[in-house]
Amino acid sequence: MAACALRRGLLSSVSKYNKKPTQRLLSVLDSSSVFEVNRPRLQCRACGLAGGVQQRRFMSSRPEGKILETVGVFEAVKQHGKYETGQLFLHSVFGYRGIVLFPWHARLYDRDITPPMSDSKPEPPGAHGSKEVKGKTHTYYQVLIDTRDCPHISQRSQTEAVTFLANHDDSRALYAIPGLDYVSHEDILPYNSTEQAPIQHELFERFLMYNPAKSPPFTPRDTLKAWQEKNHPWLELSDVHRETTENIRVTVIPFYMGMREAQNSHVYWWRYCIRLENMGSEVVQLRERHWRIFSLSGTLETVRGRGVVGREPVLSKEQPAFQYSSHVSLQAPSGHMWGTFRIERTDGSHFDVRIPPFSLESNKDDKAPPAGYTF
């Protein structure tokens, strides 16, 4: 709240003096988060400021003092096409600084859109409703998150980590790379910077190199290309599922992680990333989760519990979104998951938000376990 108030004060004081078309990104050194002051034609999800002016300023956090410093200069948002490797950006919902590693093309199944009956994806067995959803190609990006911003988004998002099954004999171990996220095209707010290392992440200099002759001036190293090619089956997202209930939108992205042998049987593992967004103005809080997990082996499991990942996040106009990841295993190469989140209003009443059904599919090809990022 203090950050939003600070933004409004700065906007009213600086916008009347900034008449140049240059769109600068500013860093305020004692703010509590990375956040947007203004951007045209779009609304700031962090504080609700409406777009419509051409001057745009951003602020990000550093603890030393109260000096404003330039972070970079805004670029035009791409309505079509895709952003290239090395593109600097601010996340329009969570506000962190990041850089694009590479794009993916996913099938987006949006249950808020009523499609024709042809080319639709059927419901899994036992799922709620009978609505069929058509998949539409959509661009997502694998990105690095600036580690300086991770502490300030921890209440709204886990510091995302891509997880694999570890490439050794311990079948219970997981392998994780922190500070990686998957970002939808519309969440990218591009900017450029004259810094040769504008993003702080342990993989930045290993994956990217500065080349002022290129645009963007950060180009992929051979290590990034090799890492992407080697771990392609565990990095690439294929399906994204979205559904809105009473202004609460749930987006699910499942990832296959691999298979392990345990007690003479095969156990298949998946990671799934979930984002909840409050698209309305009412303050609500997630209280419970209710999952149904169907396995191709014929089992149907029910899971109930308080909150998600040990938390019960509040979704408000100031902080409208929460994102987390979890894992699931089946003793079959495929299955489905669906369910509901129990949401509480400020008056104590509740309603259930549907989690869109999504498939758990293992890789069809017999590929080697994923490798780590050793250089």
Side-chain angles (χ1 to χ4, degrees), residues 106-321:
R107 293 185 300 272
L108 174 61
Y109 296 94
D110 194 339
R111 299 174 67 85
D112 301 330
I113 300 174
T114 302
M117 294 302 291
S118 61
D119 299 325
S120 299
K121 192 167 186 177
E123 291 277 338
H128 57 271
S130 58
K131 185 178 180 180
E132 294 185 345
V133 184
K134 182 179 180 180
K136 181 181 179 181
T137 301
H138 195 71
T139 302
Y140 277 73
Y141 300 93
Q142 181 91 67
V143 306
L144 289 182
I145 303 173
D146 194 312
T147 56
R148 293 169 295 183
D149 298 334
C150 290
H152 308 296
I153 63 173
S154 61
Q155 296 303 312
R156 294 188 287 160
S157 174
Q158 292 175 322
T159 300
E160 276 299 307
V162 172
T163 50
F164 308 121
L165 294 178
N167 189 14
H168 51 69
D169 294 334
D170 186 354
S171 62
R172 298 171 297 174
L174 289 176
Y175 172 79
I177 305 174
L180 290 175
D181 198 3
Y182 293 84
V183 180
S184 178
H185 182 83
E186 64 267 20
D187 288 338
I188 296 285
L189 296 176
Y191 72 94
N192 60 58
S193 172
T194 57
E195 295 184 54
Q196 295 190 19
I199 300 297
Q200 290 188 10
H201 190 285
E202 62 178 317
L203 296 179
F204 178 81
E205 292 186 351
R206 294 179 177 181
F207 280 171
L208 299 159
M209 57 183 171
Y210 182 69
N211 186 346
K214 298 289 185 178
S215 181
F218 304 99
T219 56
R221 295 183 183 271
D222 290 341
T223 49
L224 175 60
K225 298 174 183 177
W227 182 75
Q228 178 188 7
E229 181 179 356
K230 197 168 188 177
N231 293 300
H232 183 276
W234 291 267
L235 290 173
E236 183 175 10
L237 72 170
S238 57
D239 294 351
V240 179
H241 304 264
R242 180 184 294 167
E243 184 170 4
T244 303
T245 307
E246 296 196 35
N247 288 324
I248 306 299
R249 185 166 70 183
V250 179
T251 303
V252 184
I253 307 177
F255 299 89
Y256 178 58
M257 293 171 52
M259 180 270 292
R260 287 295 192 200
E261 293 186 10
Q263 298 178 348
N264 298 322
S265 65
H266 291 170
V267 179
Y268 299 83
W269 285 86
W270 289 266
R271 177 174 75 97
Y272 55 92
C273 178
I274 292 186
R275 187 164 105 182
L276 294 99
E277 286 185 84
N278 187 352
M279 312 302 291
S281 58
E282 186 178 22
V283 179
V284 297
Q285 185 170 13
L286 188 155
R287 290 300 191 185
E288 300 175 8
R289 68 188 185 279
H290 179 199
W291 282 106
R292 306 274 281 179
I293 306 169
F294 175 79
S295 172
L296 189 63
S297 62
T299 61
L300 180 62
E301 182 181 1
T302 298
V303 177
R304 290 182 179 271
R306 294 286 295 183
V308 289
V309 292
R311 296 167 63 176
E312 298 178 23
V314 174
L315 304 177
S316 63
K317 192 173 182 180
E318 289 74 25
Q319 295 190 352

Side-chain angles (χ1 to χ4, degrees), residues 36-48:
E36 175 188 4
V37 171
N38 206 1
R39 56 189 171 100
R41 298 182 301 277
L42 300 173
Q43 187 180 49
C44 176
R45 297 300 306 282
C47 74

